[in-house]
Amino acid sequence: MVSLEKYDYIQSITRNLRGTTDINFQFSIRIILKEYCSANGLKYEMPNSSGGDDKCDGWIENKCIFFQIYSPQQPKKSVRKDIQDKFKDDLTGLLSLVYNDGKWGGKVEEFIFLVNTFDRPLPHDSNRFFDNLVSEMKTKYGIDFQYRV
C-alpha cells in the first residue's frame, strides 16, 4: 500500500476544488471545513441553502467565525466587480441579521469570504474596497471583527 504525504493530500484536495463550481464547490468546502473543525474540537455548521441561508454558508459556532463561499459559473460583469458586489451583499446582510435581528448567536468575530478564482489570483484591490467597507461596517455597528478574502 502506498502512503501519501501531507503535501500529496493537499495537492489532491486543491486539484479536486479546481474542477468544481457553484454549489459543488460549496459542498466540497463543507467537507474540508467539517474535517478540519472535527480534528480541532470545533463545531462547524453549514445551513441548507434551499430556502435561504441567512447570509451564512457555514460557521464555526464556538468561535463565531462565518464563511461565505462564492463560486460563480462565469462572471456577470467583471471578476473584480462581481467579487466586490458579492462580498458587500454578504457582509452587510450577515451583520444586519446578526446585530439587528439577533441571528447566529448575536456576534461575529471573523468573516471569511472564500472565492473560487479558477487558478487565478484575486484581482487587485488598489482602492482598498474590502478594508474600507469593513471599516464602515465596524463603525456602523460599533463592533470589531477580523476578515479575510
Side-chain angles (χ1 to χ4, degrees), residues 9 17-18 22-23 25 34-35 43 48 53 56 67 73 85-87 94 105 107-108 124 126-127 129 134 142 145 147:
Y9 284 112
L17 287 174
R18 285 185 190 127
D22 205 17
I23 197 70
F25 182 79
K34 278 188 87 113
E35 289 299 318
K43 183 179 177 190
N48 185 337
D53 58 17
C56 175
F67 296 88
Q73 291 180 349
D85 289 348
K86 182 69 170 147
F87 179 88
L94 175 68
K107 185 173 187 178
V108 174
H124 68 86
S126 56
N127 292 329
F129 173 83
V134 167
F145 64 95
Y147 87 94

Side-chain angles (χ1 to χ4, degrees), residues 20-36:
T20 61
T21 61
D22 205 17
I23 197 70
N24 292 324
F25 182 79
Q26 188 169 332
F27 287 148
S28 295
I29 294 293
R30 174 189 189 177
I31 293 166
I32 294 166
L33 290 174
K34 278 188 87 113
E35 289 299 318
Y36 171 82

Side-chain angles (χ1 to χ4, degrees), residues 104-116:
W104 303 115
K107 185 173 187 178
V108 174
E109 288 289 337
E110 188 168 359
F111 178 74
I112 300 174
F113 188 72
L114 298 170
V115 180
N116 185 354

